[in-house]
C-alpha cells in the first residue's frame, strides 16, 4: 500500500533541502512514510493546488511509463 502526501516545506526544511538536496528530501519522505499520522498529515495540501499537482504527476507518469 502506498499513499501520497503533498506538503509545503517549512523554512527550516527548505534550508535543509537547499543545503542537502535530494538526500534531505529522501530522508524527509522516509520519515513521512513511517509516520503517516504524524504532524505531516496536518500539513497535507489539498484543494486546487493539490488537484493541479496530482494532474501534473499523472500526466508525467503517462508520458514516461514503460
Amino acid at each position: 500500500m502506498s499513499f501520497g502526501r503533498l506538503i509545503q516545506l517549512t523554512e527550516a526544511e527548505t534550508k535543509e533541502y537547499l543545503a542537502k538536496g535530494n538526500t534531505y528530501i529522501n530522508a524527509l519522505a522516509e520519515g513521512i512514510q513511517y509516520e503517516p499520522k504524524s504532524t505531516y498529515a496536518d500539513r497535507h495540501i489539498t484543494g486546487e493546488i493539490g488537484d493541479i499537482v496530482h494532474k501534473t504527476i499523472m500526466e508525467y507518469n503517462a508520458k514516461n511509463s514503460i
Side-chain angles (χ1 to χ4, degrees):
M1 177 180 201
S2 68
F3 65 93
R5 183 76 70 214
L6 177 63
I7 64 166
Q8 182 171 346
L9 299 179
T10 65
E11 186 176 335
E13 290 165 341
T14 300
K15 287 179 182 178
E16 286 290 319
Y17 169 63
L18 292 173
K20 299 177 183 174
N22 285 343
T23 300
Y24 175 74
I25 291 298
N26 290 335
L28 179 62
E30 188 173 307
I32 293 169
Q33 177 182 354
Y34 290 112
E35 298 183 45
K37 294 185 179 184
S38 68
T39 58
Y40 298 109
D42 295 339
R43 293 170 48 194
H44 183 61
I45 298 172
T46 59
E48 185 178 355
I49 293 172
D51 293 343
I52 291 168
V53 171
H54 177 74
K55 180 181 176 187
T56 302
I57 291 169
M58 293 299 106
E59 289 172 356
Y60 174 86
N61 287 342
K63 290 176 184 176
N64 294 287
S65 64
I66 295 174

